[in-house]
């Protein structure tokens, strides 16, 4: 077969994409049947498709486009670094952007989290965190203390180890996982608590789950607890107040490392650089981040470790070499982009902006929950939101319930708003620069879509 390609006509691009580009989470049954929206340009909170139709980017890329699209100075910073020094092996060299960014992140993170291991994205940041825990316990002579506690509905990534820590719809996957390395705590979603149970009692119940699992496994076998401050891909699940502080305190008591996976919550989503300390009052041992670190302009992640952990690592015995690293650790172009991203966020005081527009965003979200019968739960925090379909609508089939996200997204898309459907839920996390008027436009479209959907669902 002649594999040479000719210059593309616009329709060819869709065909070639279908035939040759295996997208993430492809349903293999529909392989080569699905056309993805082809997007050409973007500016601010908007993206345009190849037909010239404009959309509000409700998902903010993939929870990541904090400063919005079309920032010329980002492009210039990226180009300047690519011209000056596009790549330097992190095994042999450092560069100005890598050193500056490591220092900057050390300043921004809470407590003594001062050591940064750069990665290629969020999954590799999570891998690094888990491997650091394994390395630590091997060096401290406790090779049996390595089980990781994770949670149902958690998402930590798509590499073997990060996918192993992921508690989402595990039963559906045909990929292998290292199941012996992890145990999953039951759902923490307050929406799923028994009808007559208050929030404080739900928190007590979740802490009881946590303590019971530690007792069952034995703390001497548990190396770490990994937790997203908010379980975002699980459907923006905000654990009950006090949950993080209590689990953190229990981890301290049992010498279990606390890994806070801030791949989504980091870099302003909740109005702070990091949510662990400023929003939830804990200083973890490790923070993982990615996404908003560069606002999605180029890939970069980081695993940030505490001084106490590093001292323990250094003080142990056995093989001294931390054999973890990637060709693109501290990639100079990515680090330059991250520095520019942070500079823009500081200059424009985007964290303060998020804190100012959040009450309006959250009140429009709650209003939906109070207004539409088909919405069982409208939840969120900061500029994160989720609408979950009511499970108990009469006459509803389970299949229809699971179509809620896709159907609502399609209705909103027709009106110029993109959402992210997750089965019976639709989630959104717009660029952090979104204005109050744009928030209104977003929610007006959602409400119109829900009115239409209500007619279909409840007759
Ligand atoms: N951790 C969390 C909390 C995430 O939401 C994600 C991605 O959505 C990841 C890790 C994986 O990051 P990446 O896709 O950059 O590998």
């Amino acid at each position: 077969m002649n594999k040479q390609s000719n210059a593309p006509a616009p329709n060819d691009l869709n065909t070639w994409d279908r035939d040759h580009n295996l997208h993430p989470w492809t349903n293999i049954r529909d392989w080569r049947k699905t056309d993805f929206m082809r997007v050409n340009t973007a500016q601010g909170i908007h993206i345009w498709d190849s037909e010239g139709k404009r959309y509000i980017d409700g998902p903010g890329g993939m929870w990541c486009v904090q400063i919005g699209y079309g920032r010329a100075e980002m492009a210039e910073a990226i180009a300047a670094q690519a011209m000056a020094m596009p790549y330097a092996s992190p095994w042999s060299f450092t560069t100005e952007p890598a050193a500056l960014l490591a220092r900057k992140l050390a300043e921004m993170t809470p407590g003594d989290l001062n050591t940064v291991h750069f990665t290629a994205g969020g999954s590799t940041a999570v891998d690094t965190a888990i491997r650091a825990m394994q390395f630590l316990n091997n060096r401290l002579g406790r090779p049996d203390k390595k089980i990781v506690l994770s949670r149902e509905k958690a998402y930590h990534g798509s590499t073997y180890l990060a996918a192993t820590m992921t508690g989402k719809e595990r039963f559906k996957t045909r990929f292998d996982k290292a199941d012996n390395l992890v145990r999953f705590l039951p759902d923490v979603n307050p929406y799923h608590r028994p009808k007559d149970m208050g929030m404080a009692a739900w928190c007590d119940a979740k802490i009881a789950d946590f303590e019971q699992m530690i007792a069952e496994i034995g703390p001497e076998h548990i190396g770490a607890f990994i937790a997203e401050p908010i379980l975002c891909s699980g459907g923006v699940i905000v654990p009950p107040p006090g949950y993080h502080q209590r689990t953190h305190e229990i981890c301290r008591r049992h010498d279990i490392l606390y890994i806070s996976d801030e791949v989504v919550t980091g870099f302003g989503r909740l109005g702070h650089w990091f949510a662990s300390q400023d929003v939830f009052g804990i200083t973890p041992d490790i923070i993982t981040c990615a996404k908003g670190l560069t606002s999605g302009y180029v890939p970069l992640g980081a695993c940030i470790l505490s001084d106490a952990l590093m001292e323990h690592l250094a003080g142990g015995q056995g093989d001294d070499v931390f054999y973890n690293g990637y060709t693109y650790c501290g990639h100079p172009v990515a680090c330059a982009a991250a520095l520019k991203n942070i500079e823009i966020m500081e200059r424009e005081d985007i964290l303060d902006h998020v804190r100012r527009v959040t009450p309006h965003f959250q009140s429009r979200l709650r209003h939906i929950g109070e207004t539409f019968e088909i919405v069982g739960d409208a939840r969120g925090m900061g500029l994160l939101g989720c609408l979950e379909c009511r499970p108990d609508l009469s006459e509803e089939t389970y299949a229809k319930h699971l179509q809620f996200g896709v159907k609502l997204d399609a209705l909103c898309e027709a009106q110029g708003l993109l959402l992210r459907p997750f089965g019976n839920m639709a989630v959104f996390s717009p660029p952090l620069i979104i204005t109050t008027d744009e928030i209104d436009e977003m929610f007006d479209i959602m409400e119109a879509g829900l009115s239409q959907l209500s007619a279909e669902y409840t007759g």
Side-chain angles (χ1 to χ4, degrees):
M1 186 178 111
N2 179 5
K3 297 189 102 179
Q4 220 168 15
S5 308
N6 298 318
N11 287 343
D12 289 341
L13 291 173
N14 283 352
T15 311
W16 295 347
D17 190 71
R18 261 190 271 120
D19 286 354
H20 305 294
N21 186 2
L22 183 63
H23 288 254
W25 296 19
T26 291
N27 185 332
I28 289 299
R29 239 181 289 129
D30 298 335
W31 178 54
R32 291 187 168 162
K33 289 191 203 123
T34 314
D35 267 336
F36 283 79
M37 180 190 286
R38 190 149 45 81
V39 288
N40 285 345
T41 50
Q43 185 67 43
I45 66 158
H46 295 104
I47 62 179
W48 280 259
D49 70 13
S50 51
E51 315 281 292
K53 184 169 158 82
R54 192 183 84 158
Y55 302 89
I56 296 176
D57 183 9
M62 178 58 98
W63 327 89
C64 60
V65 186
Q66 321 298 71
I67 59 169
Y69 297 99
R71 296 279 193 162
E73 56 182 311
M74 277 295 268
E76 282 153 15
I78 290 167
Q81 187 58 45
M83 287 306 291
M85 173 56 75
Y87 177 77
S89 163
W91 277 263
S92 315
F93 305 109
T94 192
T95 61
E96 185 176 315
L100 282 175
L101 182 61
R103 156 99 185 164
K104 185 79 187 165
L105 291 177
E107 281 171 9
M108 292 159 90
T109 42
D112 66 341
L113 279 90
N114 290 321
T115 301
V116 182
H117 186 83
F118 287 114
T119 66
S123 305
T124 43
V126 168
D127 271 28
T128 301
I130 304 295
R131 299 193 80 207
M133 176 278 289
Q134 294 171 339
F135 186 79
L136 171 79
N137 284 320
N138 287 336
R139 275 182 58 83
L140 294 184
R142 34 191 217 192
D144 294 331
K145 190 172 168 62
K146 283 191 242 160
I147 289 177
V148 180
L149 300 183
S150 183
R151 294 174 298 177
E152 293 295 335
K153 311 266 192 228
Y155 183 72
H156 296 295
S158 216
T159 55
Y160 188 54
L161 203 45
T164 289
M165 302 306 150
T166 289
K168 270 190 76 188
E169 305 196 342
R170 303 179 73 237
F171 53 95
K172 282 195 184 157
T173 180
R174 291 290 175 267
F175 289 105
D176 290 346
K177 295 178 174 191
D179 288 331
N180 57 327
L181 300 183
V182 64
R183 291 282 295 275
F184 291 99
L185 293 148
D187 191 6
V188 294
N189 190 347
Y191 176 54
H192 296 152
R193 70 188 190 274
K195 292 241 170 319
D196 54 352
M197 186 182 268
M199 200 63 120
W202 179 245
C203 189
D204 289 345
K206 295 297 101 187
I207 296 303
D209 289 344
F210 196 68
E211 286 186 314
Q212 189 186 330
M213 188 167 279
I214 292 174
E216 266 171 33
I217 303 169
E220 68 281 12
H221 297 301
I222 304 172
F225 172 48
I226 184 163
E228 301 158 80
I230 294 176
L231 297 95
C232 293
S233 296
V236 188
I237 299 167
V238 185
Y243 173 87
H244 291 295
Q245 280 176 319
R246 290 171 73 183
T247 50
H248 182 257
E249 190 277 316
I250 294 166
C251 286
R252 281 276 170 277
R253 208 175 335 126
H254 293 298
D255 196 12
I256 294 169
L257 292 183
Y258 193 110
I259 302 169
S260 187
D261 185 353
E262 294 229 35
V263 166
V264 173
T265 53
F267 298 94
R269 188 56 52 201
L270 303 185
H272 298 272
W273 290 119
F274 293 98
S276 299
Q277 174 65 58
D278 287 344
V279 181
F280 296 106
I282 59 162
T283 301
D285 300 290
I286 299 178
I287 287 180
T288 51
C289 62
K291 293 189 188 282
L293 172 56
T294 58
S295 276
Y297 277 73
V298 287
L300 183 67
C303 173
I304 309 171
L305 308 130
S306 71
D307 288 343
L309 171 55
M310 291 307 295
E311 270 159 35
H312 270 102
L313 277 180
Q317 303 279 319
D319 199 338
D320 294 330
V321 182
F322 188 70
Y323 282 113
N324 192 79
Y326 310 95
T327 301
Y328 298 132
C329 276
H331 192 285
V333 175
C335 290
L339 286 167
K340 182 55 76 177
N341 179 50
I342 294 167
E343 182 196 314
I344 292 170
M345 289 185 72
E346 284 179 335
R347 193 179 65 227
E348 297 182 5
D349 211 348
I350 289 179
L351 298 183
D352 184 59
H353 170 77
V354 172
R355 291 195 291 265
R356 276 188 289 110
V357 297
T358 285
H360 186 61
F361 182 93
Q362 290 296 329
S363 93
R364 291 278 328 235
L365 178 63
R366 308 295 147 162
H367 177 74
I368 284 183
E370 288 151 16
T371 312
F372 291 92
E373 206 194 333
I374 56 169
V375 175
D377 198 26
R379 58 176 174 265
M381 200 184 227
L383 292 185
L384 285 168
C386 173
L387 300 177
E388 181 167 338
C389 183
R390 240 180 73 185
D392 55 347
L393 292 173
S394 58
E395 313 284 312
E396 291 309 315
T397 63
Y398 189 59
K400 195 165 177 188
H401 179 66
L402 287 182
Q403 286 292 307
F404 172 82
V406 171
K407 282 174 184 268
L408 181 61
D409 174 48
L411 289 167
C412 291
E413 195 176 305
Q415 299 308 316
L417 168 67
L418 301 175
L419 301 175
R420 177 127 199 264
F422 280 148
N424 62 334
M425 298 178 279
V427 301
F428 34 95
S429 52
L432 304 185
I433 52 163
I434 193 165
T435 63
T436 307
D437 286 348
E438 289 165 339
I439 289 172
D440 280 332
E441 196 185 338
M442 230 181 114
F443 280 98
D444 288 349
I445 296 174
M446 264 188 266
E447 290 188 0
L450 284 163
S451 297
Q452 273 178 273
L453 205 55
S454 299
E456 186 191 324
Y457 271 57
T458 57

